[in-house]
Amino acid sequence: MDPTRLAAAIRPRGPWESIDLGFALARTWFLPLWLCWWVTAAPLALLTLVLLHQRADLWLLLLWGCKPAFEALPLYWLSRALFGERLTVAVAARRLPQALPPRLWPQLLWRRIGVTRSFSMPVTLLEAPRGAARAARLRVLGTGAAGWLTVICVHLETVLWLSALLLLAFLLPEGMPRLDLEATLTDSGSMADWIGGLLMLAAVSVMAPFYVAAGFALYLGQRTRLEAWDLELAFRRARARPGRAGIGQAGRKGASAGRADASWTHPGRSHFGRGRRTVVAVAAALLLAAPLAGPLSPTQALTREEAGVAIDAVLAESDFGGTREAWTWVYVGDTAEPDTDGDAGMALPDGLIQSLASIIKWLLLLAAATGLGLLALRLLPELRAPSRTRRRAARQRPAGTQSRAAGATAMLPLDIPAEVRRLLGAGDARGALALLYRSQIAQLRTAGLDLPDSATEAECLATAASRARPDQVAWLQRLLRLWQGVAYGHRAADPGAMASLLAERAILMQGQPVQGLSADD
Amino acid sequence: MTPRQPPGAEGLAAARIALNRVETEVNRAVLGQRRVVREVVAALAAAGHVLLEGLPGMGKTLLVRALAQALGGRFARIQFTADLMPSDITGHAIFEMKSERFHIRRGPIFCNVLLGDEINRAPAKTQAAMLEAMQEQQVTIEGESLALPPPFIVLATQNPIEQEGTYPLPLAQLDRFLLKCYIGYPEADEELAVVREVTAGTVGDGLDLSAVSTVMTPKQLLQVQATAAALTLDDAVLGYALRLVRATRDWQGLDSGAGTRAAIALVRAARGHALLAGNGFVTPDDVKTVAPAVLRHRVRLGAELEIEGYRADDVLAEILAGVDAPRS
């Protein structure tokens, strides 16, 4: 690593500024980063294509799961390039085993779905902590805005994919087969699905350099903020200058002091800032003083005591020794003494106020829950329309829509022939035929035929004809003809025909069921 | 109003045979549209007007011409256009110099069977001119009411896809039509027969009605319509028809349901269908069979269903499946 050849200014940055930096780096080095991504992705994509050539969705899912492996090489390349080591893609490809994380499987399995992967990858790859040390390290560093970075990049990937898909769909020349957009999501294995999958892979590959670079920049930002990495690099640069060995030594000490100071002050930002300012002052003084002092030979290096004296001298100067007072308003809470006299007798007890507040709070919560419930009850049926309109209509069936048939069907007498004869004896031929009709419907239903209450005579007959025995169908046909004539035609029932129907029914009931028709109810 | 006596077996048979002959004759000219022909003949028996909707080239005009040919009587055709005036339909009064009097010149509406071709191409004012004729069987010209010759049947056609330059019929106008029938594409074998028969030895693309014979006179049609009106109608069937119509008013997804005239039309159409089937009484099957054609133009789909691509027939199928048939 050559700190003098840093491609980006390392200084404390906020999370969003770090992401900006990452995106700027990705734009600068997009091509090598993109190619590095494909160095890993392309072979795997081609190999798995052989296995999953009929399932574009599974193929895409597999590649999506392997994204951490694809992003290792771009990260490796970027970590080198940032410090001046510009590898060619070929060289980077040869270093792939070195670039991959030491334990890849966790990255591809349970850590794959972590939303802060962009941040944890640099930690895993560049520092290689394991187990509890890794967790502790990540806990110390935090994650910055890595979660939001993932959300943003997923959205950008989706937008890119949809844009490409729509562009292709709308700009296909006339005469070419149209791209079925719905099939890209629903028809697995279709041409449209493959096109959608390839475009998605392309969108993911385009976003990958930005994701990796932004995650790396977040990592740099966090380290800089927490570990004063900028100072360390500044001292490294100072040390790296020719003939600055003494200053380099002092700088190293200063850096150590700075790092210690940062560690000690973490997480208090004010102390941290003061420590940083002190160290920067010292470093600046040393760096400024160095040219004035002229070149130093290694033998002229300052001892610890001499350096301390020099630092104290610098700090004693007016530029660094002055103090400044600044005034600002800080809210420290209500310090006024409670008014104990006056309307103290009118004041409500604290306990009562707390109770009232609690009751009001629960009432509000209850009202909100009730409102949400009512809203859901109102909206859900509308969302399900019209496929479920029948259910709602059945529930809210207007008066008169429900005929007596359904209820009557459900309440058939046990001995139907006896009841039919009784009704015939009472002169109610219509009632007797209706009973026979309903009992036959019930029997057909028991046999598994779908005969809703809305089925008319012709529909019942057609349904029965599809599964019942011919003699049963013929009997039902005669029954329905007689029933319609009596009920709807107001014709007198032929006693002979009625007796014949009953007799034949008894014979039919004794026969074995055919094609699912059971015996009597 | 005294209830009519149910028709005797002879009258019933004669009416059924007459209707079946008309149906057969129309089917000679119009191939592959048996369902529509049956619906139209049922409407004829019920003395109702029919709105035929279908794509161009489906045989709408041919069907009406064939029906008019089979019926005999006076036939007139009006091609509805944007510049058609009401007086072009009903007629107008002109001053005759010779007699120095106003003389009423009757329009084409004075006929037994009127074909209103592409009715939705005329503006609302012209469409409204037919309202009185369709509902009251009379026309008012210069304050004088003139009765139309019975029977008077309007068969109108419209094209469902060409909306540019059309004036959709208002609900009040649609309600005057007893049935709205869709003419769809015929089956492959039927279409093959159509193409073969129409192109064999035929020059040009004129409508060939030579195969259609006149099998009924207007007077006979009036008798048939009287027979249909006298068919027995049980209260259970009447209640069933009413439940169907009322269900359209409470069904979710419909902005407006069918009115009372729809219930009347449903029963009338069911009578016509029952007579065509040879029954002396109306059954729930008759009601259910004609219900889609009677109700589809009398209900208005909600915006949500329209956006989702549903048609009135889809909702009506749900309604028919949700209303219990009489079984007692």
Side-chain angles (χ1 to χ4, degrees):
Chain A
M1 184 176 77
D2 184 359
T4 61
R5 294 176 61 193
L6 266 173
I10 301 299
R11 61 175 174 80
R13 297 172 193 268
W16 300 109
E17 195 183 358
S18 296
I19 290 176
D20 275 348
L21 172 65
F23 277 33
L25 291 174
R27 281 201 306 273
T28 307
W29 293 320
F30 178 79
L31 189 60
L33 287 172
W34 188 68
L35 291 175
C36 282
W37 193 88
W38 277 108
V39 162
T40 324
L44 188 67
L46 292 174
L47 281 175
T48 51
L49 188 61
V50 177
L51 298 173
L52 300 170
H53 62 278
Q54 290 183 330
R55 291 295 301 269
D57 48 353
L58 290 181
W59 179 69
L60 197 63
L61 185 67
L62 181 71
L63 293 180
W64 177 84
C66 294
K67 272 173 73 178
F70 305 157
E71 289 163 0
L73 195 59
L75 183 59
Y76 178 84
W77 190 93
L78 186 64
S79 65
R80 266 54 185 175
L82 188 70
F83 294 101
E85 189 183 0
R86 307 283 165 80
L87 303 175
T88 63
V89 176
V91 172
R94 281 196 292 275
R95 295 188 189 176
L96 178 61
Q98 186 184 343
L100 287 172
R103 293 171 72 234
L104 184 59
W105 288 113
Q107 307 297 326
L108 301 181
L109 295 174
W110 59 88
R111 286 178 194 156
R112 171 63 187 90
I113 53 175
V115 291
T116 58
R117 185 169 51 85
S118 62
F119 184 85
S120 59
M121 276 288 281
V123 177
T124 307
L125 284 175
L126 304 177
E127 300 183 17
R130 296 183 64 173
R134 179 181 180 277
R137 180 65 177 147
L138 285 173
R139 203 162 41 246
V140 167
L141 287 176
T143 57
W148 282 111
L149 173 65
T150 302
V151 171
I152 290 167
C153 285
V154 166
H155 279 80
L156 289 175
E157 279 176 4
T158 310
V159 167
L160 273 177
W161 173 64
L162 281 175
S163 305
L165 207 60
L166 292 175
L167 188 74
L168 194 64
F170 292 149
L171 296 187
L172 271 180
E174 195 72 30
M176 288 187 68
R178 305 303 303 170
L179 180 61
D180 186 358
L181 292 176
E182 190 179 347
T184 58
L185 298 174
T186 56
D187 190 3
S188 179
S190 65
M191 179 58 72
D193 191 27
W194 276 107
I195 291 173
L198 289 172
L199 290 178
M200 172 59 90
L201 191 62
V204 167
S205 74
V206 168
M207 281 311 300
F210 293 93
Y211 187 65
V212 170
F216 184 55
L218 274 174
Y219 167 73
L220 292 180
Q222 287 293 90
R223 283 201 64 175
T224 305
R225 193 174 67 83
L226 296 175
E227 301 175 0
W229 211 27
D230 53 335
L231 298 179
E232 183 176 343
L233 290 174
F235 284 128
R236 281 172 184 266
R237 276 196 297 270
R239 184 191 178 194
R241 284 184 188 173
R244 297 290 189 273
I247 294 175
Q249 284 180 357
R252 189 159 58 242
K253 289 166 190 164
S256 303
R259 190 183 304 168
D261 182 70
S263 306
W264 169 67
T265 56
H266 178 74
R269 292 295 301 271
S270 58
H271 291 137
F272 173 79
R274 198 179 333 159
R276 179 184 298 278
R277 280 196 296 274
T278 306
V279 175
V280 167
V282 172
L286 290 174
L287 290 171
L288 286 170
L292 300 175
L296 296 174
S297 66
T299 54
Q300 290 176 307
L302 293 174
T303 63
R304 177 186 293 268
E305 291 74 19
E306 289 169 345
V309 170
I311 290 169
D312 289 340
V314 170
L315 290 176
E317 290 178 8
S318 58
D319 289 341
F320 302 103
T323 57
R324 184 167 61 91
E325 287 188 355
W327 295 86
T328 184
W329 291 99
V330 177
Y331 180 70
V332 294
D334 189 8
T335 55
E337 290 293 326
D339 190 4
T340 53
D341 51 13
D343 57 353
M346 303 290 289
L348 294 170
D350 284 347
L352 182 59
I353 292 173
Q354 291 291 337
S355 302
L356 282 173
S358 179
I359 289 170
I360 291 171
K361 183 180 83 174
W362 283 108
L363 283 176
L364 285 174
L365 286 174
L366 189 65
T370 309
L372 285 174
L374 290 174
L375 190 66
L377 280 176
R378 180 172 177 76
L379 287 181
L380 278 178
E382 292 182 6
L383 290 175
R384 291 179 300 192
S387 58
R388 296 186 174 91
T389 50
R390 189 185 311 175
R391 190 181 306 165
R392 172 169 174 168
R395 193 173 65 245
Q396 299 179 344
R397 196 173 283 214
T401 306
Q402 177 82 34
S403 77
R404 293 164 294 174
T409 305
M411 295 183 295
L412 290 170
L414 290 175
D415 190 354
I416 288 171
E419 182 64 15
V420 169
R421 289 191 187 91
R422 189 190 67 75
L423 288 169
L424 285 174
D428 186 6
R430 179 173 182 152
L433 285 166
L435 181 57
L436 276 176
Y437 176 30
R438 293 201 305 274
S439 71
Q440 193 62 20
I441 296 293
Q443 186 188 351
L444 292 170
R445 281 177 177 165
T446 309
L449 268 67
D450 182 22
L451 288 172
D453 288 335
S454 62
T456 56
E457 287 84 0
E459 289 169 339
C460 291
L461 191 61
T463 307
S466 64
R467 288 186 58 184
R469 294 198 313 260
D471 53 346
Q472 288 176 320
V473 176
W475 182 85
L476 181 63
Q477 193 171 10
R478 286 203 294 126
L479 167 67
L480 292 180
R481 196 179 301 133
L482 195 59
W483 150 253
Q484 287 183 328
V486 171
Y488 306 140
H490 299 174
R491 294 171 183 165
D494 180 9
M498 288 297 299
S500 168
L501 272 178
L502 279 175
E504 285 183 30
R505 182 180 186 277
I507 296 170
L508 285 174
M509 293 305 113
Q510 290 168 357
Q512 289 300 316
V514 172
Q515 298 175 7
L517 268 184
S518 68
D520 197 4
D521 37 307
Chain B
M1 184 187 298
T2 55
R4 298 168 189 267
Q5 287 296 317
E10 287 183 4
L12 194 67
R16 180 179 61 82
I17 290 169
L19 285 177
N20 286 343
R21 287 176 66 186
V22 171
E23 187 181 5
T24 306
E25 290 302 315
V26 176
N27 277 326
R28 284 185 208 279
V30 184
L31 302 178
Q33 301 291 353
R34 291 188 174 275
R35 179 187 55 79
V36 181
V37 171
R38 193 166 185 80
E39 286 176 347
V40 170
V41 175
L44 195 70
H49 311 292
V50 180
L51 178 63
L52 292 168
E53 188 173 288
L55 296 171
M58 289 291 106
K60 299 185 292 291
T61 307
L62 176 65
L63 192 154
V64 179
R65 294 288 303 273
L67 187 69
Q69 176 97 355
L71 286 178
R74 189 177 169 200
F75 169 75
R77 171 182 177 163
I78 303 173
Q79 182 68 45
F80 281 72
T81 55
D83 56 352
L84 191 72
M85 299 299 290
S87 58
D88 296 333
I89 298 173
T90 58
H92 52 273
I94 57 171
F95 187 73
E96 196 173 1
M97 299 294 287
K98 189 175 179 182
S99 60
E100 295 187 341
R101 292 179 60 189
F102 277 98
H103 176 72
I104 290 179
R105 176 172 289 176
R106 298 187 175 198
I109 203 168
F110 288 88
C111 63
N112 297 119
V113 178
L114 175 68
L115 166 58
D117 220 358
E118 300 197 78
I119 190 172
N120 56 339
R121 292 209 172 274
K125 182 174 65 174
T126 309
Q127 291 171 359
M130 296 185 68
L131 277 179
E132 183 188 7
M134 292 172 69
Q135 182 66 33
E136 302 173 30
Q137 313 274 316
Q138 68 172 24
V139 169
T140 302
I141 302 173
E142 294 294 323
E144 184 181 350
S145 294
L146 304 170
L148 295 172
F152 174 68
I153 308 286
V154 175
L155 295 113
T157 69
Q158 67 176 13
N159 180 342
I161 55 168
E162 290 179 359
Q163 299 299 322
E164 193 177 349
T166 63
Y167 301 86
L169 291 171
L171 215 54
Q173 177 83 30
L174 284 172
D175 209 20
R176 262 66 180 183
F177 288 100
L178 185 77
L179 304 182
K180 178 181 179 183
C181 304
Y182 285 131
I183 296 193
Y185 294 111
E187 297 296 326
D189 53 340
E190 293 169 332
E191 195 162 13
L192 187 70
V194 170
V195 176
R196 180 181 290 128
E197 292 199 14
V198 170
T199 55
T202 304
V203 178
D205 55 359
L207 300 179
D208 183 14
L209 298 172
S210 58
V212 182
S213 308
T214 302
V215 293
M216 189 186 276
T217 63
K219 188 178 176 184
Q220 285 175 320
L221 179 57
L222 287 174
Q223 287 174 350
V224 167
Q225 289 174 348
T227 305
L231 291 184
T232 304
L233 179 68
D234 185 64
D235 285 346
V237 182
L238 186 63
Y240 176 57
L242 204 59
R243 285 201 303 275
L244 282 177
V245 171
R246 291 180 70 84
T248 63
R249 301 169 194 167
D250 301 303
W251 210 264
Q252 191 182 19
L254 290 179
D255 271 357
S256 64
T260 306
R261 187 184 282 128
I264 295 168
L266 184 56
V267 172
R268 278 177 55 202
R271 285 180 185 278
H273 189 269
L275 184 60
L276 193 58
N279 288 329
F281 49 86
V282 183
T283 65
D285 281 311
D286 297 317
V287 174
K288 200 168 186 176
T289 303
V290 298
V294 172
L295 298 176
R296 64 168 62 109
H297 56 293
R298 291 182 163 97
V299 297
R300 184 182 294 167
L301 280 183
E304 187 186 350
L305 293 190
E306 278 197 357
I307 291 168
E308 290 180 10
Y310 284 85
R311 301 192 318 162
D313 279 18
D314 300 324
V315 179
L316 288 174
E318 293 244 354
I319 291 174
L320 289 172
V323 176
D324 298 345
R327 283 178 189 159
S328 60

